[in-house]
Amino acid sequence: MPKERHKSQQQQQQLLLFLILLAFLLYHVSADDADVMARLAQSLSPTPSSWTGSNFCKWQGVSCSSNKVTSINLSSKSLSGTIPPEITQLSDLKSLSLQRNQLSGPLPPLSNHPSLQEINLDFNRFDSTPQHFLSGLTSLQSFSINNNTFLQPWKIPDSLRDSTAITTFLASNANIIGEIPDIFHSLPSLQNLRLSYNGMTGSLPKSFSNSAIQYLWLNNVGFSGTIEVLGNMPQLKEVWLQVNKFSGPIPDLSACTELSDLQLRDNTLTGVIPDSLTKLPKLQSVALQDNKFQGPMPSFPSGVQVSLGDTNKFCNPSPGPCDPQVSSLLEIVGAMGYPVTLADSWEGNNPCQNWKFIICEKGSVTKLNFGKQNWTGTISPAIANLTELKTLSLNDNRLVGAIPTSLTNLKQLEIIDISNNNISGKVPAFVSHVTVITTGNVYIGQDVPNNYPDSSTSSHNAAKSSSSPWVVVVPVIVFFLISSVLGFVIYRRYSNKKTITYKWAGKGSESGNSEKQLIVNVENTFPISGQVTPIRNPGEKSDYHVHDGGNVTIPVEVLREVTNNFSEDNVIGKGGFGIVYKGKLHDGTRIAVKRMESSLINNKGLNEFKAEIEVLTKVRHRNLVALHGFCNNGNEKLLVYEYMPQGCLGEHLFDWQEMGIEPLTWNQRVTIALDVARGVEYLHSLAQQSFIHRDLKPSNILLGDDMRAKVSDFGLVKSSPDGDYSFETRLAGTFGYLAPEYAATGRVTTKVDVFAFGVILMEIITGRKALDDSLPDEKCHLVTWFRRLLVQSNAIQGALDPTLRPSMDEKTFQSILKVAELAGHCTARESCQRPDMSHAVNVLSPLVEQWTPVPDEDESFGLDFHLSLPQAVQKWKANEDSFSKNL
Ligand SMILES: Nc1ncnc2c1ncn2[C@@H]1O[C@H](COP(=O)(O)OP(=O)(O)OP(=O)(O)O)[C@@H](O)[C@H]1O
Ligand SMILES: *[C@@H]1O[C@H](CO)[C@@H](O)[C@H](O)[C@H]1NC(C)=O
Ligand SMILES: *[C@@H]1O[C@H](CO)[C@@H](O)[C@H](O)[C@H]1NC(C)=O
Ligand SMILES: *[C@@H]1O[C@H](CO)[C@@H](O)[C@H](O)[C@H]1NC(C)=O
Ligand SMILES: *[C@@H]1O[C@H](CO)[C@@H](O)[C@H](O)[C@H]1NC(C)=O
Ligand SMILES: *[C@@H]1O[C@H](CO)[C@@H](O)[C@H](O)[C@H]1NC(C)=O
Ligand SMILES: [Mg+2]
C-alpha cells in the first residue's frame, strides 16, 4: 500500500500548511485588533481599570467574537483623551458606545465601515468631524451625537444616504449648520430624527413624504418654509417643531392617526387650524401658542392638553364660526398660503375695520387690493362669495392656475387685474363692463397641464396643450375679421354720407395692409375719431399687444427704441409722474411716453399708474387724451398716449412769447374751454361710474394741431362710489386750483373739478396764472382777485389778457363777459352754488363760432363709445344683422 500511504502523507502536509496559514492569519488579525485596542487604551485618560493584559476580549465593555472586537462600550466612564483613528480598523466592530464622557479631539474617521451598526457619541467634547464622515456606513442602524457643543460647525452629509438601514439619527445640540439633505427616500427605515438645538437653515425636505419617521424632533433649529409635508407623514407620533421660523398653515393632518404630541409653538404659522386636527384619535398634547393663526379658535376634546396662548389671531376670543366675509377672505388667502402680512393686520371679526388690502362700502367688501405682494398660490373660487366685490387686484404676484369661473357670478364686478402673474387657462366669459387686465401672463388663454405639487393630476394631457397656440390665434383672426368688416361697414356708410365727416379727425391715412387701412379709414371718417385707440394687426411689425378688455401693452424695448433710448432730445416735458418723451411707433403713430420716475415706484405712484390705466381703459372721448397702451415691466412703468403736437394750454397762455408762438385768439380760447368742459362733463356723467379728475389745470389740457383740446392726466382720477357723490380722500391736485372745501376737508365731489375749470376760464381770460408769486399779494391769487373784479362794474375789462385787445369787437367782448360770469359761477365758495359741467357746456357752446355737430346715437351705429374698441366690436357683432338691413 505504498501508494495509499503516500497519499495520506500528502494530505497531512496540506493540512499542516493550512493550519500554519490559519495560525498566521489568526495571529496577524488578532494582533491587529490587539494593537488597535492597545492604542485605544493608551489614548484614554485615565485608562479604564480593567483594561490591562493582552486579552482585550476580557476588558470591561469589550465584546468579541472569534477574538475579534464586535462592540466597545465606554459609556459614562468619566473618560477624557481622544479616540485614535485606527479604531475603525476593528473590522468586525458593530457597536461603538462612547457617550457621556469628556472625550475630545477629532472624531474617528467613521466611514466605509460595512459592519458598524450602532454609534453613540453623545455628550462628549469632540471638536471636529473627519473627511467622508458618515459615508459608506452601509449597516448603520443608529447614530447619535447629541450634546457635542465643541464640534466645529458641520453639515449632515448627503452620503448618509448610504446608510439605508438607519432607524435612528439623533444629533441635537451638535453645532450642525446648513440644510437637511433631501435624502429621505433612501432611508425607508428611519423612525427617529432629532436635530433640535442647532443652527440650521432651509425648510423641511420634500422626501419626508411617505417616510417612516415617527419621532420628529426639530425644535429650536432655525428652519423656515411651510410644514405642508407633515400631511404626508402618516407614521408620525411626536412632532416637535417649536421655536423655528415655519410659516404658512397647518396642513390637513387627518392621515396622521398615530400623532400624539404636536409642538408648533413659537413659529409664524398662519391660517385656519384645520378641523381635522381637533379630531385626531391619539392626540394628547398640542402647543400652538405664539403663532399667527387665524379663523375660528379651535376646540379640542377634553383629554387633550392644549396651549393656544393669546397672541394668535383667532377671529373670536372663544370657539365658534367667523363672520361669513371673514371666512371667505380666509379661504381666498388660504389659496395663497395665508401670507403672514395679512395675519399681522387682519384682527378681529370685521374685515371693514382697517384690514390691510380690503376696501369696504356699507359693510361689504368691494375691493381686494392684493397687487404687488409677490404672493404665490392660486385664485380661489371663494372670491365669488364676496358678492359686492367691484375691484379685484391680484397683479404682480406669482399666482398660477386659472381664473375661476365662479367670478362671473359677481354682479358688481368692474375690474379684475391679474397682470404679471403666471395665470393660465381661458378667461371666463365676463359681462362686457368687466375689465380684465391679463398682461404679463404667458400662458393666459392656454390650457396648461396642472402639474403643481398640491393639485397634481394627469400629466398625459401635456401633448394636448402644446397644440394650444390656436386658442390664441383663432380669436385674434376672428377679431381682425370683425374689425375689417366693421371698418368696411363704417367706411361705406360714411363715404355715402360725406356731410358729417368730422373735421379734426386724427392721423393721416398711411399705406399698410388692408386691415390696417380699413381701421385707419374708421379713424379718418368716423365722426368721433379721437375716441378710438388705433389697434393694428399684431403681426411682426406691430408694436402692440391687445389684451382682453381692450388693454394694450407695448414692450419696453419698443419704447426704448422709438424714444432713442429715452434720450434728452426727445423730452417734451416733466411732471409729477416723471419725464415725458415723444416718439414714433413703427407704424408712424406719434406717441407721448410718460416714464414713471423710479422714486415714485412706491404705493402712491403705482396706484396712480393703475388708476390711470383703469380709468383710461374705461373712458374714451374725443376731448380726453387717448391712452394707446402701457408698459409695466419691472421697474419700468410707462404710459403711452397719443401725441398732442401743440403741447399744453399753459404754454400757449403763459409762455407764448418765450416760445415764439402766436397767442391764442379769443375764438380759440373759448373753443378750448368748451372742449375741456365736454371732456370733464363726460367724465362726470359716465353711466356706470362717475369720475372726478381732481387735477384740472392748463398743463393737463393738451392741444392738437387744430388747436382743439383734450384733457389728460387721469392718474389722480378717483371713481366716486355709487349713490354717494362725495367721499373723503387724500388731498391731491395743484395749489391755485383747489376748491376751498377740498383744501380744507379733502372732500371730493365733481364740484372740485368745476372749481378748477372756473380757475382755468379765468386764466384763459386774463392770461395770468392761478398763482403768481411775482405779483403783489392782492393780485397773486387769481380767483380772489378776479372774483373781486367781477362784482365791480367794468372792472373785468382791465383784467383781460392784453393780447386779446387788438382784435376786440363788441361780440367778442360780450362773449368774454359771459365766460367771466361763468368763471365766477364755477368758483363759488359753496360747492352747492357751483353749476354742473353740463351747464358750462350749455353756456359755452353758443359762443363757439364753428360749431361742429355732436354725432347722435343713431349715427354711431349704436356703438357705445364708453366701451373699449374690442368690447364695442363684440357688441356690434351681436347686432350685425340689424345693421346689414340698414345698408
Ligand atoms: N400726450 C402728450 N402730448 C404732448 N405733450 C405732452 C403729452 N403729455 C404731456 N405732455 C407735455 O409734458 C409736460 C409734462 O406733463 P405731465 O403731465 O407729466 O406734467 P404736468 O401736467 O405738468 O403736471 P402733473 O404731473 O401734475 O400732471 C406737459 O406740460 C406737456 O407739455
Ligand atoms: C453600555 O454599558 C452600560 C453600563 O455601563 C449599559 O447601561 C449600556 O446599556 C451599555 N450599552 C450597550 C450599547 O451595550
Ligand atoms: C444637551 O443639550 C440640550 C440642548 O441645548 C440642553 O438643554 C441640555 O442641558 C444638554 N445636556 C447637557 C447634559 O449638557
Ligand atoms: C362660498 O360659497 C360656496 C357656495 O355657496 C360655499 O359652498 C362655501 O362654503 C362658501 N365659502 C365660504 C368661505 O363662505
Ligand atoms: C419674490 O419671492 C421670491 C421667492 O420667495 C424671491 O426670490 C424674490 O426675490 C421675491 N421678489 C420680490 C420683489 O420680493
Ligand atoms: C408658469 O406656469 C407654467 C404652467 O402653467 C409653468 O410651466 C411655468 O414654469 C411657470 N413659469 C414661471 C415663471 O413660474
Ligand atoms: Mg399733466
Coordinates of all heavy atoms in Angstrom, one line a residue, residues 129 151-157 171 173-181 195-202 221-223:
T129 N -15.2 67.0 12.7 CA -15.7 65.8 12.0 C -14.7 65.5 10.9 O -14.1 66.3 10.3 CB -17.0 66.1 11.4 OG1 -16.9 67.3 10.6 CG2 -18.1 66.2 12.4
L151 N -18.0 70.8 18.7 CA -17.8 70.5 17.3 C -17.7 71.7 16.5 O -18.5 72.7 16.7 CB -18.9 69.6 16.8 CG -18.8 68.1 17.1 CD1 -20.0 67.4 16.6 CD2 -17.6 67.4 16.5
Q152 N -16.8 71.7 15.6 CA -16.8 72.8 14.5 C -18.1 72.6 13.8 O -18.6 71.5 13.6 CB -15.7 72.6 13.5 CG -14.3 72.4 14.1 CD -13.5 73.6 13.9 OE1 -13.5 74.2 12.8 NE2 -12.8 74.0 14.9
P153 N -18.7 73.8 13.3 CA -19.9 73.6 12.6 C -19.8 72.6 11.5 O -18.8 72.6 10.7 CB -20.2 75.0 12.0 CG -19.4 75.9 13.0 CD -18.2 75.1 13.5
W154 N -20.8 71.8 11.3 CA -20.7 70.7 10.3 C -22.1 70.5 9.7 O -23.1 70.9 10.2 CB -20.2 69.4 10.8 CG -21.0 68.8 11.9 CD1 -21.1 69.2 13.2 CD2 -21.8 67.6 11.8 NE1 -21.9 68.4 13.9 CE2 -22.4 67.4 13.1 CE3 -22.1 66.8 10.8 CZ2 -23.3 66.4 13.4 CZ3 -23.0 65.7 11.1 CH2 -23.6 65.5 12.4
K155 N -22.1 70.0 8.5 CA -23.4 69.7 7.8 C -23.6 68.2 7.8 O -22.7 67.4 7.7 CB -23.3 70.2 6.4 CG -23.2 71.7 6.3 CD -23.1 72.2 4.8 CE -23.0 73.7 4.8 NZ -22.8 74.2 3.5
I156 N -24.9 67.9 7.8 CA -25.3 66.5 7.6 C -24.9 66.1 6.1 O -25.4 66.7 5.2 CB -26.8 66.3 7.8 CG1 -27.1 66.7 9.3 CG2 -27.1 64.8 7.6 CD1 -28.6 66.6 9.6
P157 N -24.0 65.1 6.0 CA -23.6 64.9 4.6 C -24.7 64.1 3.8 O -25.4 63.3 4.4 CB -22.3 64.0 4.8 CG -22.5 63.4 6.1 CD -23.3 64.3 7.0
A171 N -29.0 64.1 16.6 CA -27.9 65.0 16.6 C -28.3 66.4 17.1 O -28.1 67.4 16.4 CB -27.3 65.1 15.2
N173 N -28.2 69.6 19.5 CA -27.1 70.4 20.1 C -25.7 70.0 19.7 O -24.9 69.7 20.5 CB -27.3 70.3 21.7 CG -26.7 71.4 22.4 OD1 -26.4 72.5 21.8 ND2 -26.5 71.3 23.7
A174 N -25.5 69.9 18.4 CA -24.3 69.4 17.9 C -23.7 70.3 16.9 O -22.8 69.9 16.1 CB -24.5 68.0 17.3
N175 N -24.1 71.5 17.0 CA -23.5 72.5 16.1 C -23.6 72.3 14.6 O -22.7 72.5 13.8 CB -22.0 72.7 16.5 CG -21.6 74.1 16.6 OD1 -22.4 75.0 16.3 ND2 -20.4 74.4 17.0
I176 N -24.8 71.7 14.2 CA -25.0 71.4 12.8 C -25.5 72.7 12.1 O -26.3 73.5 12.7 CB -26.0 70.3 12.6 CG1 -25.6 69.1 13.4 CG2 -26.2 70.0 11.1 CD1 -26.6 67.9 13.3
I177 N -25.0 72.9 10.9 CA -25.4 74.1 10.1 C -26.0 73.5 8.8 O -25.9 72.3 8.6 CB -24.3 75.1 9.9 CG1 -23.1 74.4 9.2 CG2 -23.9 75.7 11.2 CD1 -22.1 75.3 8.6
G178 N -26.4 74.4 8.0 CA -26.9 74.1 6.6 C -28.2 73.5 6.6 O -29.0 73.5 7.6
E179 N -28.6 72.9 5.5 CA -30.0 72.4 5.4 C -30.0 70.9 5.7 O -29.0 70.2 5.7 CB -30.4 72.6 3.9 CG -30.4 74.1 3.5 CD -31.1 74.4 2.2 OE1 -31.7 73.4 1.7 OE2 -31.1 75.5 1.8
I180 N -31.2 70.4 5.9 CA -31.4 68.9 5.9 C -31.3 68.4 4.5 O -32.0 68.9 3.6 CB -32.7 68.5 6.5 CG1 -33.0 69.2 7.8 CG2 -32.8 67.0 6.6 CD1 -34.3 68.7 8.4
P181 N -30.3 67.5 4.2 CA -30.3 67.0 2.8 C -31.6 66.2 2.5 O -32.2 65.6 3.4 CB -29.1 66.1 2.8 CG -28.8 65.7 4.2 CD -29.4 66.8 5.1
L195 N -32.9 66.8 15.5 CA -31.9 67.8 15.1 C -32.0 69.0 16.0 O -31.6 70.1 15.6 CB -32.0 68.1 13.7 CG -31.8 66.9 12.7 CD1 -32.1 67.4 11.3 CD2 -30.3 66.4 12.8
S196 N -32.7 68.9 17.1 CA -33.0 70.1 17.9 C -31.8 70.9 18.3 O -30.7 70.3 18.4 CB -33.8 69.6 19.2 OG -34.8 68.8 18.8
Y197 N -32.0 72.1 18.6 CA -30.9 73.0 19.1 C -29.7 73.0 18.2 O -28.6 72.6 18.5 CB -30.5 72.6 20.5 CG -31.6 72.8 21.5 CD1 -32.3 71.7 21.9 CD2 -31.9 74.0 22.0 CE1 -33.4 71.8 22.8 CE2 -33.0 74.2 22.9 CZ -33.7 73.1 23.3 OH -34.7 73.2 24.2
N198 N -29.9 73.3 16.9 CA -28.8 73.5 16.0 C -29.0 74.9 15.3 O -30.0 75.5 15.6 CB -28.7 72.4 15.0 CG -28.0 71.2 15.7 OD1 -26.9 71.2 16.1 ND2 -28.8 70.1 15.8
G199 N -28.1 75.2 14.5 CA -28.3 76.5 13.7 C -28.4 76.3 12.3 O -27.6 76.7 11.5
M200 N -29.5 75.5 11.9 CA -29.6 75.1 10.5 C -30.5 76.1 9.8 O -31.1 77.0 10.3 CB -30.2 73.7 10.5 CG -29.3 72.7 11.1 SD -29.9 71.0 11.1 CE -29.7 70.6 9.4
T201 N -30.6 75.9 8.5 CA -31.4 76.8 7.6 C -32.2 75.9 6.7 O -32.2 74.7 6.8 CB -30.5 77.6 6.7 OG1 -29.6 76.7 6.0 CG2 -29.6 78.6 7.5
G202 N -33.0 76.6 5.9 CA -33.8 75.8 4.9 C -35.1 75.3 5.5 O -35.5 75.7 6.6
V221 N -34.2 75.1 15.9 CA -33.2 74.8 14.8 C -33.0 76.1 13.9 O -31.9 76.4 13.6 CB -33.6 73.6 14.0 CG1 -32.5 73.4 13.0 CG2 -33.7 72.4 14.9
G222 N -34.1 76.7 13.6 CA -34.0 77.8 12.6 C -34.6 77.5 11.3 O -34.3 78.3 10.3
F223 N -35.4 76.5 11.2 CA -36.0 76.2 9.9 C -37.1 77.2 9.5 O -37.7 77.8 10.4 CB -36.6 74.7 9.9 CG -35.5 73.7 10.0 CD1 -35.6 72.6 10.9 CD2 -34.5 73.6 9.1 CE1 -34.7 71.6 11.0 CE2 -33.5 72.6 9.1 CZ -33.6 71.6 10.1

